[in-house]
Amino acid sequence: MTFPVLSALAAGYEVHVVGDACGGLTPVSHDPALRRMEVAGAKPTLWIQVLLELQRDWTRHATYDGARAIVEAHGGGYGIGLVYARDMIKPA
């Protein structure tokens, strides 16, 4: 990931690196590579942040069910919170 990111930055692109959607051989190699890209100007982010930026807000009905299903299945505590809200909090 490092070399394409550095090349895109050198070409003048704004680059966002989804750090938990790529990886090195070990955490010891992954973390310094992410730092190197950030120091060069890449903006670090995480998969869930990308998904939430695409969703924009939870009132966007066209993509609500799909985005919610992904977060519930893979979003850890945030996903658990969405399940709870869906099952326990009923509008009056």
Side-chain angles (χ1 to χ4, degrees):
M1 192 77 202
T2 304
F3 294 120
V5 166
L6 295 175
S7 295
L9 288 167
Y13 289 96
E14 180 176 321
V15 180
H16 296 259
V17 177
V18 185
D20 57 351
C22 63
L25 297 174
T26 66
V28 172
S29 66
H30 182 69
D31 293 339
L34 289 175
R35 283 195 306 274
R36 179 177 180 202
M37 291 181 275
E38 185 176 8
V39 167
K43 295 172 174 69
T45 191
L46 303 172
W47 76 265
I48 198 164
Q49 184 61 41
V50 172
L51 177 99
L52 294 174
E53 287 180 21
L54 292 172
Q55 176 60 28
R56 292 195 302 264
D57 64 59
W58 291 114
T59 62
R60 192 164 170 245
H61 300 290
T63 54
Y64 176 88
D65 288 334
R68 189 197 72 235
I70 292 168
V71 173
E72 287 179 1
H74 305 287
Y78 185 51
I80 291 168
L82 286 182
V83 171
Y84 177 83
R86 183 195 65 217
D87 294 345
M88 302 301 289
I89 302 171
K90 308 283 184 199

Coordinates of all heavy atoms in Angstrom, one line a residue:
M1 N 0.8 -1.2 0.0 CA 0.0 0.0 0.0 C 0.9 1.3 0.0 O 0.5 2.3 -0.6 CB -0.9 -0.1 1.3 CG -2.0 0.9 1.3 SD -3.3 0.3 0.2 CE -4.1 1.8 -0.1
T2 N 2.0 1.2 0.6 CA 2.8 2.4 0.8 C 3.2 3.0 -0.5 O 3.1 4.2 -0.7 CB 4.1 2.1 1.7 OG1 3.6 1.5 2.9 CG2 4.9 3.3 1.9
F3 N 3.7 2.2 -1.4 CA 4.3 2.8 -2.7 C 3.2 3.4 -3.5 O 3.4 4.6 -4.0 CB 5.1 1.8 -3.4 CG 6.4 1.4 -2.6 CD1 6.6 0.1 -2.3 CD2 7.3 2.4 -2.3 CE1 7.7 -0.2 -1.5 CE2 8.4 2.1 -1.5 CZ 8.6 0.8 -1.2
P4 N 2.0 2.8 -3.7 CA 1.0 3.5 -4.5 C 0.5 4.8 -3.8 O 0.2 5.8 -4.5 CB -0.2 2.5 -4.6 CG 0.4 1.2 -4.3 CD 1.6 1.4 -3.4
V5 N 0.4 4.8 -2.5 CA 0.0 6.0 -1.7 C 1.1 7.1 -1.9 O 0.7 8.2 -2.2 CB -0.2 5.7 -0.2 CG1 -0.3 7.0 0.6 CG2 -1.4 4.8 -0.1
L6 N 2.3 6.8 -1.8 CA 3.4 7.8 -1.9 C 3.4 8.3 -3.4 O 3.6 9.5 -3.6 CB 4.7 7.2 -1.5 CG 4.9 6.8 -0.1 CD1 6.2 6.2 0.2 CD2 4.7 8.0 0.8
S7 N 3.2 7.4 -4.4 CA 3.1 7.9 -5.8 C 1.9 8.8 -6.0 O 2.1 9.8 -6.7 CB 3.0 6.7 -6.7 OG 4.2 5.9 -6.6
A8 N 0.8 8.4 -5.5 CA -0.4 9.3 -5.6 C -0.2 10.7 -5.0 O -0.6 11.7 -5.5 CB -1.6 8.6 -5.1
L9 N 0.4 10.7 -3.8 CA 0.7 11.9 -3.2 C 1.6 12.8 -4.0 O 1.4 14.0 -4.2 CB 1.3 11.7 -1.8 CG 0.3 11.2 -0.7 CD1 1.0 10.7 0.5 CD2 -0.7 12.3 -0.3
A10 N 2.7 12.1 -4.5 CA 3.7 12.9 -5.4 C 3.0 13.4 -6.6 O 3.4 14.5 -7.1 CB 4.8 11.9 -5.7
A11 N 1.9 12.8 -7.1 CA 1.2 13.2 -8.3 C 0.2 14.3 -8.0 O -0.5 14.8 -8.9 CB 0.5 12.0 -9.0
G12 N 0.1 14.6 -6.7 CA -0.8 15.7 -6.3 C -2.2 15.3 -5.8 O -3.0 16.2 -5.6
Y13 N -2.4 14.0 -5.7 CA -3.7 13.6 -5.2 C -3.9 13.7 -3.7 O -2.9 13.6 -3.0 CB -4.0 12.1 -5.6 CG -4.2 11.9 -7.1 CD1 -3.1 11.5 -7.9 CD2 -5.4 12.1 -7.7 CE1 -3.3 11.4 -9.3 CE2 -5.6 11.9 -9.0 CZ -4.5 11.6 -9.8 OH -4.7 11.4 -11.2
E14 N -5.1 13.9 -3.3 CA -5.4 13.8 -1.8 C -5.7 12.3 -1.6 O -6.5 11.7 -2.3 CB -6.7 14.6 -1.5 CG -7.0 14.5 0.0 CD -8.2 15.4 0.3 OE1 -8.3 16.5 -0.2 OE2 -9.1 14.9 1.1
V15 N -5.0 11.7 -0.6 CA -5.1 10.3 -0.4 C -5.5 10.0 1.0 O -5.0 10.5 2.0 CB -3.7 9.6 -0.6 CG1 -3.8 8.1 -0.4 CG2 -3.2 9.9 -2.0
H16 N -6.5 9.1 1.1 CA -7.0 8.6 2.4 C -6.6 7.1 2.5 O -6.9 6.3 1.5 CB -8.5 8.8 2.5 CG -8.9 10.2 2.5 ND1 -9.2 10.9 3.7 CD2 -9.0 11.1 1.5 CE1 -9.5 12.1 3.4 NE2 -9.4 12.3 2.1
V17 N -6.0 6.7 3.5 CA -5.6 5.3 3.7 C -6.5 4.7 4.8 O -6.5 5.1 5.9 CB -4.1 5.2 4.2 CG1 -3.7 3.8 4.4 CG2 -3.2 5.9 3.1
V18 N -7.1 3.6 4.4 CA -8.0 2.9 5.3 C -7.1 1.8 6.0 O -6.9 0.7 5.5 CB -9.2 2.2 4.5 CG1 -10.2 1.6 5.5 CG2 -9.9 3.3 3.7
G19 N -6.6 2.2 7.1 CA -5.6 1.5 7.8 C -6.0 0.1 8.3 O -5.2 -0.8 8.4
D20 N -7.3 -0.1 8.6 CA -7.7 -1.4 9.0 C -8.2 -2.3 7.9 O -8.8 -3.4 8.1 CB -8.6 -1.4 10.2 CG -9.9 -0.6 9.9 OD1 -10.0 0.1 8.9 OD2 -10.8 -0.6 10.8
A21 N -8.1 -1.8 6.7 CA -8.5 -2.6 5.5 C -7.3 -3.0 4.7 O -7.4 -3.5 3.6 CB -9.5 -1.8 4.7
C22 N -6.1 -2.7 5.2 CA -4.9 -3.2 4.5 C -3.9 -3.6 5.7 O -4.2 -3.3 6.8 CB -4.3 -2.1 3.7 SG -3.8 -0.6 4.7
G23 N -2.9 -4.3 5.3 CA -2.0 -4.7 6.4 C -0.6 -5.1 5.9 O -0.4 -5.4 4.8
G24 N 0.3 -5.1 6.9 CA 1.6 -5.5 6.6 C 1.7 -7.0 7.0 O 0.8 -7.6 7.4
L25 N 2.9 -7.5 6.9 CA 3.2 -8.9 7.3 C 3.0 -9.0 8.8 O 2.5 -10.1 9.3 CB 4.6 -9.3 6.9 CG 4.8 -9.3 5.4 CD1 6.3 -9.7 5.1 CD2 3.9 -10.3 4.7
T26 N 3.3 -8.0 9.6 CA 3.1 -8.1 11.1 C 2.7 -6.7 11.5 O 2.9 -5.7 10.8 CB 4.5 -8.4 11.7 OG1 5.4 -7.3 11.5 CG2 5.1 -9.7 11.2
P27 N 2.2 -6.6 12.8 CA 1.9 -5.3 13.3 C 3.1 -4.4 13.4 O 3.0 -3.2 13.2 CB 1.4 -5.5 14.7 CG 0.8 -6.9 14.6 CD 1.7 -7.6 13.7
V28 N 4.3 -5.0 13.6 CA 5.5 -4.2 13.7 C 5.9 -3.6 12.3 O 6.4 -2.5 12.2 CB 6.7 -5.1 14.1 CG1 8.0 -4.4 14.0 CG2 6.4 -5.5 15.6
S29 N 5.5 -4.2 11.2 CA 5.7 -3.6 9.9 C 4.5 -2.7 9.4 O 4.7 -1.8 8.7 CB 6.0 -4.7 8.9 OG 4.9 -5.5 8.6
H30 N 3.3 -3.1 9.9 CA 2.1 -2.3 9.4 C 2.1 -0.9 10.0 O 1.9 0.1 9.3 CB 0.9 -3.1 9.9 CG -0.4 -2.4 9.5 ND1 -0.8 -2.4 8.2 CD2 -1.4 -1.9 10.2 CE1 -2.0 -1.8 8.1 NE2 -2.3 -1.5 9.3
D31 N 2.4 -0.8 11.3 CA 2.3 0.5 12.0 C 3.3 1.5 11.4 O 2.9 2.7 11.1 CB 2.4 0.4 13.5 CG 1.2 -0.4 14.1 OD1 0.2 -0.4 13.5 OD2 1.4 -1.0 15.2
P32 N 4.5 1.2 11.3 CA 5.5 2.2 10.7 C 5.1 2.6 9.3 O 5.3 3.7 8.9 CB 6.8 1.5 10.7 CG 6.7 0.5 11.8 CD 5.3 0.0 11.7
A33 N 4.6 1.6 8.5 CA 4.2 2.0 7.1 C 3.0 3.0 7.1 O 3.0 3.9 6.3 CB 3.7 0.7 6.4
L34 N 2.0 2.8 8.0 CA 1.0 3.8 8.1 C 1.5 5.1 8.6 O 1.1 6.2 8.0 CB -0.1 3.3 9.1 CG -1.0 2.1 8.7 CD1 -1.9 1.7 9.9 CD2 -1.8 2.5 7.5
R35 N 2.4 5.1 9.5 CA 3.0 6.4 9.9 C 3.8 7.1 8.8 O 3.7 8.3 8.6 CB 3.9 6.2 11.1 CG 3.1 6.0 12.4 CD 4.0 6.2 13.7 NE 5.2 5.3 13.7 CZ 5.2 4.0 14.1 NH1 4.1 3.5 14.6 NH2 6.3 3.4 14.1
R36 N 4.5 6.3 8.0 CA 5.2 6.9 6.9 C 4.3 7.5 5.9 O 4.6 8.6 5.4 CB 6.0 5.8 6.2 CG 6.8 6.3 5.0 CD 7.6 5.2 4.4 NE 8.4 5.7 3.2 CZ 8.9 5.0 2.3 NH1 8.7 3.7 2.3 NH2 9.5 5.5 1.3
M37 N 3.2 6.9 5.6 CA 2.2 7.5 4.7 C 1.6 8.7 5.2 O 1.4 9.7 4.5 CB 1.1 6.4 4.3 CG 1.7 5.3 3.5 SD 0.4 4.1 3.0 CE 0.4 3.0 4.5
E38 N 1.3 8.7 6.5 CA 0.7 9.9 7.2 C 1.7 11.1 7.2 O 1.3 12.2 6.9 CB 0.3 9.6 8.6 CG -0.5 10.7 9.3 CD -1.0 10.3 10.6 OE1 -0.7 9.3 11.2 OE2 -1.7 11.2 11.2
V39 N 2.9 10.8 7.5 CA 3.9 11.9 7.5 C 4.1 12.5 6.1 O 4.3 13.7 5.9 CB 5.3 11.3 8.0 CG1 6.4 12.3 7.8 CG2 5.2 11.1 9.5
A40 N 3.9 11.6 5.1 CA 4.0 12.1 3.7 C 2.8 12.9 3.2 O 2.8 13.5 2.2 CB 4.3 10.9 2.8
G41 N 1.7 12.8 4.0 CA 0.5 13.6 3.7 C -0.8 12.9 3.5 O -1.8 13.5 3.3
A42 N -0.7 11.6 3.6 CA -1.9 10.8 3.5 C -2.8 11.0 4.8 O -2.2 11.2 5.8 CB -1.6 9.3 3.3
K43 N -4.1 10.8 4.6 CA -5.0 11.0 5.7 C -5.4 9.6 6.2 O -6.1 8.9 5.4 CB -6.2 11.9 5.3 CG -5.7 13.3 5.0 CD -6.9 14.1 4.4 CE -6.5 15.5 4.2 NZ -5.6 15.8 3.2
P44 N -5.1 9.2 7.4 CA -5.5 7.9 7.9 C -7.0 7.9 8.2 O -7.6 8.9 8.7 CB -4.6 7.7 9.1 CG -4.3 9.1 9.6 CD -4.3 9.9 8.4
T45 N -7.6 6.8 8.0 CA -9.0 6.6 8.4 C -9.2 5.1 8.6 O -8.3 4.3 8.5 CB -10.0 7.1 7.3 OG1 -11.3 7.1 7.9 CG2 -9.9 6.3 6.0
L46 N -10.5 4.7 9.0 CA -10.8 3.3 9.3 C -12.0 2.9 8.4 O -12.8 3.8 8.0 CB -11.2 3.1 10.8 CG -10.0 3.6 11.7 CD1 -10.5 3.5 13.2 CD2 -8.8 2.7 11.6
W47 N -12.2 1.6 8.2 CA -13.3 1.2 7.4 C -14.7 1.7 7.8 O -15.5 2.1 7.0 CB -13.4 -0.3 7.3 CG -13.9 -1.0 8.5 CD1 -13.2 -1.5 9.5 CD2 -15.3 -1.3 8.8 NE1 -14.1 -2.1 10.5 CE2 -15.4 -1.9 10.0 CE3 -16.5 -1.0 8.1 CZ2 -16.6 -2.3 10.6 CZ3 -17.7 -1.4 8.7 CH2 -17.7 -2.1 9.9
I48 N -14.9 1.7 9.1 CA -16.3 2.2 9.6 C -16.5 3.7 9.3 O -17.6 4.1 9.0 CB -16.5 1.8 11.0 CG1 -18.0 1.8 11.3 CG2 -15.7 2.7 12.0 CD1 -18.4 1.1 12.6
Q49 N -15.4 4.4 9.4 CA -15.5 5.9 9.1 C -15.9 6.1 7.6 O -16.7 6.9 7.2 CB -14.3 6.6 9.4 CG -14.4 8.1 9.2 CD -15.4 8.7 10.1 OE1 -15.6 8.4 11.2 NE2 -16.2 9.7 9.5
V50 N -15.3 5.3 6.7 CA -15.6 5.4 5.3 C -17.1 5.0 5.1 O -17.8 5.7 4.4 CB -14.7 4.5 4.4 CG1 -15.1 4.4 3.0 CG2 -13.3 4.9 4.5
L51 N -17.5 3.9 5.7 CA -18.9 3.5 5.5 C -19.9 4.6 6.0 O -20.9 5.0 5.4 CB -19.2 2.2 6.3 CG -20.6 1.8 6.2 CD1 -20.8 0.7 5.2 CD2 -21.1 1.3 7.6
L52 N -19.6 5.2 7.2 CA -20.4 6.2 7.8 C -20.4 7.5 6.9 O -21.5 8.2 6.8 CB -20.1 6.5 9.2 CG -20.3 5.3 10.2 CD1 -19.8 5.6 11.5 CD2 -21.8 4.9 10.2
E53 N -19.3 7.8 6.3 CA -19.3 9.0 5.5 C -20.1 8.8 4.2 O -20.8 9.7 3.7 CB -17.8 9.4 5.1 CG -17.1 10.0 6.2 CD -15.6 10.3 5.9 OE1 -15.3 10.5 4.7 OE2 -14.8 10.5 6.8
L54 N -20.1 7.5 3.7 CA -20.9 7.2 2.5 C -22.4 7.2 2.9 O -23.2 7.7 2.1 CB -20.5 5.9 1.9 CG -19.1 5.8 1.3 CD1 -18.8 4.3 0.9 CD2 -19.1 6.6 0.1
Q55 N -22.7 6.7 4.1 CA -24.1 6.7 4.5 C -24.6 8.1 4.8 O -25.7 8.5 4.6 CB -24.2 5.8 5.8 CG -25.6 5.8 6.4 CD -26.7 5.3 5.5 OE1 -26.5 4.5 4.6 NE2 -27.9 5.8 5.7
R56 N -23.7 9.0 5.3 CA -24.0 10.4 5.7 C -24.8 10.5 7.0 O -24.3 11.1 7.9 CB -24.6 11.2 4.6 CG -23.7 11.4 3.4 CD -24.2 12.5 2.5 NE -25.5 12.3 1.9 CZ -25.7 11.7 0.7 NH1 -24.7 11.3 0.0 NH2 -26.9 11.6 0.2
D57 N -26.0 10.0 7.0 CA -26.7 10.0 8.3 C -27.7 8.8 8.2 O -28.0 8.3 7.2 CB -27.4 11.3 8.6 CG -28.4 11.7 7.6 OD1 -29.4 11.0 7.4 OD2 -28.3 12.8 7.0
W58 N -28.3 8.5 9.4 CA -29.2 7.3 9.4 C -30.6 7.6 8.9 O -31.4 6.8 8.9 CB -29.2 6.8 10.9 CG -27.9 6.1 11.2 CD1 -27.0 6.6 12.2 CD2 -27.3 5.0 10.6 NE1 -25.9 5.8 12.2 CE2 -26.0 4.8 11.2 CE3 -27.6 4.1 9.6 CZ2 -25.2 3.8 10.9 CZ3 -26.8 3.1 9.2 CH2 -25.5 2.9 9.9
T59 N -30.8 8.9 8.5 CA -32.1 9.1 7.9 C -32.1 8.9 6.3 O -33.1 9.2 5.7 CB -32.6 10.6 8.2 OG1 -31.7 11.5 7.6 CG2 -32.7 10.8 9.7
R60 N -31.0 8.6 5.8 CA -30.8 8.3 4.4 C -31.3 6.9 4.1 O -30.6 5.9 4.2 CB -29.4 8.5 4.0 CG -29.1 8.5 2.5 CD -27.7 9.1 2.2 NE -27.5 8.9 0.8 CZ -26.5 8.1 0.4 NH1 -25.7 7.5 1.2 NH2 -26.3 8.0 -0.9
H61 N -32.6 6.8 3.8 CA -33.3 5.5 3.8 C -32.9 4.5 2.7 O -32.9 3.3 2.8 CB -34.8 5.7 3.7 CG -35.3 6.5 4.9 ND1 -35.4 6.0 6.1 CD2 -35.8 7.8 5.0 CE1 -35.9 6.9 7.0 NE2 -36.1 8.0 6.3
A62 N -32.4 5.1 1.6 CA -32.1 4.2 0.4 C -30.9 3.2 0.8 O -30.9 2.1 0.2 CB -31.6 5.1 -0.8
T63 N -30.0 3.6 1.6 CA -28.9 2.8 2.0 C -28.9 2.3 3.4 O -27.9 1.7 3.9 CB -27.6 3.5 1.6 OG1 -27.6 4.7 2.3 CG2 -27.4 3.7 0.1
Y64 N -29.9 2.7 4.2 CA -29.9 2.5 5.6 C -29.8 1.0 5.9 O -29.0 0.6 6.8 CB -31.2 3.0 6.2 CG -31.4 2.7 7.7 CD1 -30.9 3.6 8.6 CD2 -32.1 1.6 8.1 CE1 -31.0 3.3 10.0 CE2 -32.2 1.3 9.5 CZ -31.7 2.1 10.4 OH -31.8 1.8 11.7
D65 N -30.6 0.1 5.4 CA -30.6 -1.3 5.7 C -29.3 -1.9 5.4 O -28.8 -2.7 6.3 CB -31.7 -2.0 5.0 CG -33.1 -1.7 5.5 OD1 -33.2 -1.3 6.7 OD2 -34.1 -1.8 4.8
G66 N -28.7 -1.6 4.3 CA -27.4 -2.2 4.0 C -26.3 -1.8 4.9 O -25.5 -2.6 5.3
A67 N -26.2 -0.5 5.1 CA -25.2 0.1 6.0 C -25.4 -0.5 7.4 O -24.4 -0.9 8.1 CB -25.2 1.6 6.0
R68 N -26.6 -0.5 7.9 CA -26.9 -1.0 9.3 C -26.4 -2.4 9.4 O -25.8 -2.8 10.4 CB -28.3 -0.8 9.6 CG -28.6 -1.1 11.1 CD -30.0 -1.4 11.4 NE -30.4 -2.7 10.9 CZ -31.4 -2.9 10.0 NH1 -32.2 -1.9 9.6 NH2 -31.7 -4.1 9.6
A69 N -26.8 -3.2 8.4 CA -26.4 -4.7 8.4 C -24.9 -4.9 8.5 O -24.4 -5.7 9.2 CB -27.0 -5.4 7.2
I70 N -24.1 -4.1 7.7 CA -22.7 -4.2 7.8 C -22.2 -3.8 9.2 O -21.3 -4.5 9.8 CB -22.0 -3.3 6.7 CG1 -22.4 -3.8 5.3 CG2 -20.5 -3.2 6.9 CD1 -22.0 -2.9 4.2
V71 N -22.7 -2.7 9.7 CA -22.2 -2.2 11.1 C -22.6 -3.3 12.1 O -21.8 -3.6 13.0 CB -22.8 -0.8 11.4 CG1 -22.4 -0.5 12.8 CG2 -22.2 0.2 10.4
E72 N -23.8 -3.8 12.0 CA -24.2 -4.8 13.0 C -23.4 -6.0 13.0 O -23.0 -6.6 14.0 CB -25.7 -5.2 12.8 CG -26.7 -4.1 13.2 CD -28.1 -4.5 13.0 OE1 -28.4 -5.6 12.5 OE2 -29.0 -3.6 13.3
A73 N -23.0 -6.5 11.8 CA -22.2 -7.7 11.6 C -20.7 -7.5 12.0 O -20.1 -8.4 12.5 CB -22.3 -8.2 10.2
H74 N -20.2 -6.3 11.7 CA -18.7 -6.1 11.8 C -18.3 -4.9 12.7 O -17.1 -4.7 12.8 CB -18.2 -5.9 10.4 CG -18.5 -7.1 9.5 ND1 -17.9 -8.3 9.6 CD2 -19.4 -7.1 8.5 CE1 -18.5 -9.1 8.7 NE2 -19.3 -8.4 8.0
G75 N -19.2 -4.2 13.3 CA -18.9 -2.9 13.9 C -18.7 -3.0 15.4 O -18.7 -2.0 16.1
G76 N -18.5 -4.2 16.0 CA -18.2 -4.3 17.4 C -19.3 -3.7 18.3 O -20.5 -3.9 18.1
G77 N -18.8 -2.9 19.2 CA -19.7 -2.2 20.2 C -20.7 -1.3 19.5 O -21.9 -1.2 19.9
Y78 N -20.3 -0.7 18.4 CA -21.2 0.2 17.7 C -22.3 -0.6 17.1 O -23.5 -0.2 17.1 CB -20.5 1.1 16.7 CG -21.3 2.1 16.0 CD1 -22.1 3.0 16.7 CD2 -21.3 2.2 14.6 CE1 -22.8 4.0 16.1 CE2 -22.1 3.1 14.0 CZ -22.8 4.0 14.7 OH -23.6 5.0 14.1
G79 N -22.0 -1.7 16.5 CA -23.0 -2.6 15.9 C -24.0 -3.1 17.0 O -25.2 -3.2 16.7
I80 N -23.4 -3.5 18.1 CA -24.3 -3.9 19.2 C -25.3 -2.8 19.6 O -26.4 -3.1 19.9 CB -23.4 -4.4 20.4 CG1 -22.7 -5.7 20.1 CG2 -24.3 -4.6 21.7 CD1 -21.6 -6.0 21.1
G81 N -24.8 -1.6 19.7 CA -25.7 -0.5 20.0 C -26.8 -0.3 19.0 O -27.9 0.0 19.3
L82 N -26.5 -0.5 17.7 CA -27.5 -0.4 16.7 C -28.5 -1.5 16.8 O -29.7 -1.2 16.6 CB -26.9 -0.4 15.3 CG -26.1 0.8 14.8 CD1 -25.6 0.6 13.4 CD2 -27.0 2.0 14.9
V83 N -28.1 -2.7 17.1 CA -29.0 -3.8 17.4 C -30.0 -3.5 18.5 O -31.2 -3.6 18.5 CB -28.3 -5.1 17.6 CG1 -29.3 -6.2 18.1 CG2 -27.6 -5.6 16.4
Y84 N -29.4 -2.9 19.6 CA -30.2 -2.6 20.8 C -31.2 -1.5 20.4 O -32.4 -1.6 20.8 CB -29.2 -2.1 21.9 CG -30.0 -1.6 23.1 CD1 -30.4 -2.5 24.1 CD2 -30.3 -0.2 23.3 CE1 -31.2 -2.1 25.2 CE2 -31.0 0.2 24.4 CZ -31.4 -0.7 25.3 OH -32.2 -0.3 26.4
A85 N -30.7 -0.5 19.7 CA -31.6 0.6 19.4 C -32.8 0.1 18.5 O -33.9 0.5 18.7 CB -30.9 1.7 18.6
R86 N -32.5 -0.8 17.5 CA -33.5 -1.3 16.7 C -34.5 -2.2 17.4 O -35.7 -2.1 17.2 CB -32.8 -2.2 15.6 CG -33.8 -2.7 14.5 CD -33.3 -3.8 13.7 NE -33.0 -5.0 14.6 CZ -31.9 -5.7 14.4 NH1 -31.1 -5.5 13.4 NH2 -31.7 -6.8 15.2
D87 N -34.0 -3.0 18.4 CA -34.9 -3.9 19.0 C -35.6 -3.4 20.3 O -36.6 -3.9 20.6 CB -34.1 -5.2 19.4 CG -33.6 -6.0 18.2 OD1 -34.1 -5.7 17.1 OD2 -32.7 -6.8 18.4
M88 N -35.0 -2.4 20.9 CA -35.5 -2.0 22.2 C -36.1 -0.6 22.3 O -37.0 -0.3 23.1 CB -34.4 -2.0 23.3 CG -33.7 -3.4 23.4 SD -34.9 -4.7 23.9 CE -35.3 -4.2 25.6
I89 N -35.7 0.3 21.4 CA -36.2 1.6 21.4 C -37.2 1.8 20.3 O -36.9 1.8 19.1 CB -35.1 2.7 21.2 CG1 -34.0 2.5 22.3 CG2 -35.6 4.1 21.2 CD1 -32.8 3.3 22.1
K90 N -38.5 1.8 20.7 CA -39.6 1.9 19.7 C -40.2 3.3 19.7 O -40.5 3.8 20.8 CB -40.7 0.9 20.0 CG -40.2 -0.5 20.2 CD -39.9 -1.2 18.9 CE -39.5 -2.6 19.2 NZ -38.8 -3.3 18.2
P91 N -40.3 3.9 18.6 CA -40.9 5.3 18.6 C -42.4 5.2 19.1 O -43.1 4.2 18.8 CB -40.9 5.7 17.1 CG -40.1 4.7 16.4 CD -39.9 3.5 17.3
A92 N -42.8 6.2 19.8 CA -44.2 6.1 20.3 C -45.2 6.5 19.2 O -45.0 7.1 18.2 CB -44.4 7.1 21.4

